[in-house]
Amino acid sequence: MRKLGTSKPSLFFLMFIIWIVNCFLVCNQNTSGGKTVLLLLISLYYLIGFSFLGKREKLYKEFHGPAYYLFWVVCLIKYFVMPLSLCFSQSFDTIGPSVTDSSFNMAVILIMYEMICIIFLRVLFLKYYIPIKKEYAYREGIRSGNSRVILVFGFIVFLGIALSFVPNFNIIPKNLFVLAEDFERQEISVSYGMVVIWWKYIFFLSTFSFLYYMYKRSSNRLFYYLSVLLIFFFLGLITGTSRWAILFFLLLSLYLCSKMYGSRVRKIIIPISLVSLVTIISITLYKFSWAFQYSENIYIDFFQVLMGQLQSYFSGPNLVAQALEMENNPMFAHRITFSTFLNDFLGSIPSVAGSVDQTDRINYYFNRYLFDWYSDQTSQIIPMTAVGAIYFNMLFSPVFTVLFTWLGFVFEFKGMSDSRIYVKFIFLYAAFWCVLAICFCPQIIWGNLIGFVFPIFIIYKFLMVKYRCHELS
């Protein structure tokens, strides 16, 4: 897979031409001077920094996995596509209070600072981490495990049957792939809800491992087709309001299939992608149904809403500026304390979340600032770099971005270095969340790590000890 702006000089040159053309176009418009100049600088710094980084990446191609490519695509969108689109459209505002030019410009500077830190972080990772661990990394193929994987599979199936008799667990949703019009989140406790999620993923991984084990023993293509059906079925099981969960599962399942079954996986990419696309569109229509209530052309309005949400999805400068101004707002300044910092992390731990004040978390305050103190809206995500600036200061604004991005690189390295299905899935899933730190806030990434990745990993370790299955896929 090519990385735009880094694979070949011709691609870099093409992107530079796009940047030059955009400069000429915005110069002929009634532009907002300083804002446009700084945004153009972000995209220029991206071209310079990531093209330099791309030359170093060529030396480490064997360590590039799906999380790595996702990281490059997201960086391309945030640091190149989004700034140029804002310059061209001259539409800088998002939902919530308008910001001053000085706050917006400071936000752009912090985003450039964040990008520079990420580039140096990747250089350090390539220079120091990989050479030390290189002899343990990159194993071709995936283990099929041994016969004890059958015991694990049988235990998980039996557990699912037992859980299906427990009220409010709803292991199989009423609507597969498409949300019902009256969809509402299940009103169940956090612990019960998390157990359902854990079981679903453990069921998928244990079944996936079992089918691959049987395929390797018999070379019967039936088990390959059953693996494909399992992916379709699981896409239905995780139908909800998280498009990221569907995207991550799609990327990981196709990646694992390619390692397990080889080139024949190409035949299933289109149908699985189409089903996933329908599911994601269904969820998106549900999330933005408020924008289509009085729409004359729902398709045009649908894409307009998506384009307008570009800053919201990728932590744009206006959101960073709003977060900075929230910190100085008298209504919020005294509320954001050290307890808020603790609650951001403690409030995501399933066994502790019930005793934590969920209204004393920074993303909660950010949504109250954007909408209204009495609003129940929680859709907006406070940018990661803004959280660092609020809790510490401007100098350390990228601290959370650097921490989680580094963890993402490490998780992917560990996932690529292991040949077991379970380990690859868990570590690469964690890597997906972490390398997208530039789009999320600490609360979201930490919540997925502590609420999903770590428990699944612990359960995996328990199963290995329980069945003494050191070759468990």
Side-chain angles (χ1 to χ4, degrees), residues 14-60:
L14 176 62
M15 293 181 67
F16 185 71
I17 292 298
I18 293 174
W19 183 82
I20 293 292
V21 171
N22 197 280
C23 288
F24 280 111
L25 290 176
V26 298
C27 285
N28 293 327
Q29 297 177 359
N30 244 337
T31 61
S32 300
K35 289 183 178 181
T36 301
V37 171
L38 287 175
L39 288 170
L40 289 173
L41 282 178
I42 290 182
S43 55
L44 180 61
Y45 287 169
Y46 167 84
L47 290 175
I48 297 173
F50 279 81
S51 61
F52 163 77
L53 184 58
K55 295 179 180 179
R56 300 188 64 88
E57 293 285 2
K58 291 180 180 180
L59 304 175
Y60 302 92

Side-chain angles (χ1 to χ4, degrees), residues 182-188 240-242 286-287 378:
D182 59 347
F183 171 81
E184 293 181 358
R185 292 187 179 275
Q186 295 177 348
E187 296 296 331
I188 57 178
T241 55
S242 176
Y286 168 77
K287 280 183 172 288
T378 58

Side-chain angles (χ1 to χ4, degrees), residues 400-412:
F400 290 115
T401 308
V402 168
L403 173 62
F404 284 118
T405 304
W406 178 270
L407 284 176
F409 295 155
V410 173
F411 284 146
E412 180 178 53

Side-chain angles (χ1 to χ4, degrees), residues 161-179:
I161 295 173
L163 290 176
S164 64
F165 292 98
V166 178
N168 293 326
F169 261 77
N170 296 333
I171 289 176
I172 300 179
K174 296 179 181 178
N175 298 83
L176 294 178
F177 306 112
V178 179
L179 289 178

Side-chain angles (χ1 to χ4, degrees), residues 388-440:
I390 292 173
Y391 280 142
F392 303 103
N393 56 49
M394 299 293 184
L395 181 62
F396 296 99
S397 60
V399 62
F400 290 115
T401 308
V402 168
L403 173 62
F404 284 118
T405 304
W406 178 270
L407 284 176
F409 295 155
V410 173
F411 284 146
E412 180 178 53
F413 186 89
K414 290 183 177 295
M416 295 290 292
S417 305
D418 204 289
S419 58
R420 291 167 291 182
I421 294 174
Y422 223 120
V423 175
K424 275 187 176 294
F425 187 94
I426 292 172
F427 278 118
L428 290 176
Y429 190 91
F432 280 165
W433 283 107
C434 290
V435 298
L436 264 67
I438 60 175
C439 299
F440 297 133

